[in-house]
Amino acid sequence: MGIVDDKVALVTGAGAGIGRAAALRFAAEGAKVMVSDVNAEGVEETAKMIGKAGGEAAFLKADIAEQAEVEALVAKTVETFGRLDCACNNAGIEGQMAPLADQPMDNYDRIMGINARGTFLCMQAEIAQMLRTGGGAIVNLASVAGLIGFPGLSPYVASKHAVNGMTKNAALEYGNQGIRVNSVCPGGIDTRMLDSLADQATQGAQSSHEMLDPLHPIGRIGLPDEVAELIVWLASPKASFVTGINMPVDGGYVAQ
């Protein structure tokens, strides 16, 4: 018996990295999974991986910055599987590194449009559906950059603080209607996004491991599967009294 047996889960940004790991973990724990990403090939591959492992999945390409596409994604989830119990709003981007005064406005707008507006739109559509069926659980992907600052990443930091704030607010607004809302705040995780940030920060002189392993008290960066375990637990009945938290999964990074 899995901890989300017979549940229906939606995972955005599921074409790679943490999103793919979360989708695979939801399926391994018994959920039917709708996976989505702007990368059609990546998300189709995730769905195939779930099927090969004996799970049940469907996929849909969607841009979470577009309200109509988000609403269509939630509707397709319900059309395919009958309901929506769990949602993991993982899709996001890192953007361009630069000091605040040098940040191009199009970089700011793109990051906020996907990370903050996109998460807001996903929650709107998911909550509306969950209210129709008596509740559910939402897990938003924030970051340790939603808890502390990172020089050179003002738009990203702003977007992830926004995700954490929206998470708390939604938890307060819908807790008595059967909907729990939490966020996870990963530290350095071995993903394409982290490689991009390390490359920008060091002009290619260091890998993400070389740059960030020593900065985590545990002595290494994390793996997508380690974040996925927390996501699925928070979305499951095992976390029935947990809502409104912004939980680090960061090898002790923000404890310093």
Side-chain angles (χ1 to χ4, degrees):
M1 290 284 288
I3 63 173
V4 285
D5 260 350
D6 300 320
K7 302 289 187 185
V8 174
L10 166 62
V11 182
T12 68
I18 292 171
R20 173 174 284 176
L24 292 169
R25 176 48 48 189
F26 270 114
E29 292 290 349
K32 299 173 183 177
V33 190
M34 175 63 76
V35 290
S36 180
D37 202 294
V38 292
N39 177 354
E41 291 182 4
V43 79
E44 182 177 5
E45 179 61 25
T46 300
K48 287 179 179 177
M49 292 169 71
I50 290 171
K52 287 177 183 176
E56 188 172 349
F59 69 94
L60 185 69
K61 180 183 177 182
D63 180 352
I64 64 162
E66 299 296 330
Q67 185 172 9
E69 294 192 29
V70 171
E71 291 173 350
L73 174 60
V74 172
K76 185 66 173 178
T77 303
V78 176
E79 177 189 328
T80 304
F81 296 122
R83 62 187 190 279
L84 176 64
D85 302 302
C86 312
C88 171
N89 297 320
N90 166 75
I93 60 171
E94 75 283 3
Q96 177 180 329
M97 289 189 74
L100 189 148
D102 299 326
Q103 280 283 348
M105 282 310 300
D106 59 351
N107 184 59
Y108 175 89
D109 289 341
R110 182 166 178 260
I111 292 171
M112 293 298 288
I114 294 172
N115 296 2
R117 172 185 163 87
T119 299
F120 182 86
L121 290 173
C122 286
M123 284 200 291
Q124 274 197 324
E126 292 154 1
I127 289 167
Q129 174 57 38
M130 290 173 177
L131 288 173
R132 297 185 191 108
T133 52
I138 295 172
V139 182
N140 295 319
L141 262 290
S143 167
V144 291
L147 301 172
I148 58 176
F150 281 87
L153 289 174
S154 292
Y156 183 77
V157 168
S159 73
K160 292 304 185 178
H161 274 74
V163 169
N164 279 336
M166 288 187 287
T167 295
K168 292 176 182 178
N169 226 59
L172 295 176
E173 290 172 345
Y174 296 101
N176 63 358
Q177 297 176 73
I179 298 174
R180 295 184 300 104
V181 188
N182 295 291
S183 70
V184 297
C185 300
I189 305 297
D190 195 2
T191 61
R192 179 215 57 81
M193 180 183 289
L194 194 70
D195 289 341
S196 169
L197 290 173
D199 188 62
Q200 290 187 65
T202 69
Q203 285 77 53
Q206 287 184 299
S207 70
S208 52
H209 282 279
E210 291 169 329
M211 184 176 82
L212 291 169
D213 279 351
L215 302 182
H216 292 72
I218 208 168
R220 62 173 176 85
I221 60 174
L223 300 172
D225 287 346
E226 294 175 303
V227 184
E229 291 282 355
L230 177 58
I231 290 167
V232 176
W233 181 81
L234 284 170
S236 80
K238 295 284 187 182
S240 57
F241 199 56
V242 181
T243 195
I245 65 165
N246 307 139
M247 186 168 182
V249 50
D250 66 349
Y253 191 94
V254 298
Q256 300 178 97

